[in-house]
Amino acid sequence: MAVKIGHAASDENGNIVGGKAGDQTGKEVCIRDWWAMGWTHLIRPKDPLLAERLATLMEQACANDMIGYGQDDRLTLYYMLLKVAYQIIAIKSPCECDCSSLIGALAICAGVNINPDIYTGNMVQAFRQTGLFEIITDKEHLTNSQYIMRGDILVKEYSHTVMALSNGSKITDKNPVPEPSANVMYAESFDKKLAGSYRVTTALNLRCGAGKTYKIVTVLPKDAVVQNYGYYTLHEGVKWLYVKYKTVTGFCSSAYLKKE
């Protein structure tokens, strides 16, 4: 089965400028099969949860026909995200992006501190500087899809960039991020300033949602370290952070977390 990728391709006329805002054809920002384009770099998230968030956001962008392609208005997607608290699915008005500004906007939505105005000539260095990504340049990863992982970003410098949405045939761990088997809820809000590592100040329940009525996923021991990418839900005036701990994800009260 072919590896799927998501990307911003071209406007409704097959051009890079001059089209209408939004996706007029369903193919301006879309999912398609991986192809060999002379990729020069592969940008891989070090944390599987970050990779999964990026891939999920790309799928949401490809499914939202309010998001189209247009280099002349490439940052309007980012500006729209500022208005809707970085929620791709909440975009209800037409906007535009190009291949690199789409990747940049999605990374910001996932909690990565990066300039939204990156382009294919400087994005590799920009992602490297965050410390959250591995940069891969060997031929094996760039010329075939067997070793591609969901959430990988492929770049041909000064030309094009795409994101992998499925794993290649040589990837043995098909589910590096645990499925929410305990029916973990989606976070309602995002604040990139919250993103980071947190130490648990006391034994603490990790729950399926924000609030003590939700099922317990696991118990976090005192001094455990959890990772947050900026996602949270406000419950009774308290931010419950959506975090990863070892192989599980869930919500815990920020009142018992200390940022590292």
Side-chain angles (χ1 to χ4, degrees), residues 6-220:
H7 70 139
S10 61
D11 68 20
E12 65 271 22
N13 301 310
N15 299 322
I16 61 174
V17 297
K20 296 181 179 180
D23 194 336
Q24 313 303 314
T25 64
K27 297 180 180 180
E28 296 185 42
V29 178
C30 64
I31 296 173
R32 58 169 290 184
D33 291 344
W34 176 95
W35 79 103
M37 191 182 174
W39 306 113
T40 58
H41 297 80
L42 186 150
I43 304 171
R44 174 165 290 170
K46 295 178 180 179
D47 191 314
L49 181 58
L50 176 56
E52 180 61 25
R53 283 214 172 276
L54 288 168
T56 298
L57 288 165
M58 177 60 82
E59 289 167 340
Q60 291 176 354
C62 292
N64 190 336
D65 287 342
M66 292 293 103
I67 304 172
Y69 186 100
Q71 280 194 6
D72 43 357
D73 295 309
R74 65 191 297 269
L75 290 181
T76 55
L77 166 60
Y78 171 71
Y79 295 138
M80 186 66 69
L81 285 167
L82 292 176
K83 298 178 181 180
V84 296
Y86 298 97
Q87 301 291 320
I88 289 286
I89 60 176
I91 294 176
K92 305 296 183 184
S93 299
C95 57
E96 301 278 76
C97 63
D98 65 3
C99 63
S100 51
S101 68
L102 171 62
I103 297 289
L106 299 184
I108 291 170
C109 288
V112 179
N113 184 14
I114 200 166
N115 190 326
D117 199 20
I118 58 171
Y119 74 108
T120 52
N122 66 9
M123 65 185 297
V124 173
Q125 181 63 14
F127 276 94
R128 179 187 284 117
Q129 289 177 344
T130 69
L132 299 175
F133 298 85
E134 176 185 4
I135 308 301
I136 300 172
T137 57
D138 65 86
K139 183 178 179 180
E140 186 175 63
H141 286 80
L142 300 176
T143 59
N144 65 73
S145 62
Q146 294 182 15
Y147 294 94
I148 299 297
M149 294 181 67
R150 179 172 165 84
D152 284 350
I153 301 166
L154 286 158
V155 181
K156 181 177 181 180
E157 284 192 307
Y158 302 100
S159 180
H160 196 49
T161 183
V162 304
M163 184 184 296
L165 300 179
S166 57
N167 292 320
S169 60
K170 296 293 186 180
I171 302 300
T172 56
D173 186 357
K174 295 299 184 180
N175 293 292
V177 177
E179 293 293 330
S181 56
N183 297 317
V184 175
M185 304 290 288
Y186 288 104
E188 296 178 357
S189 302
F190 174 82
D191 182 351
K192 66 180 181 180
K193 294 179 181 178
L194 292 175
S197 298
Y198 290 79
R199 188 170 297 276
V200 179
T201 60
T202 186
L204 183 64
N205 291 326
L206 184 69
R207 297 181 180 273
C208 297
K212 295 181 179 179
T213 60
Y214 285 94
K215 182 180 177 181
I216 297 172
V217 177
T218 190
V219 178
L220 305 174

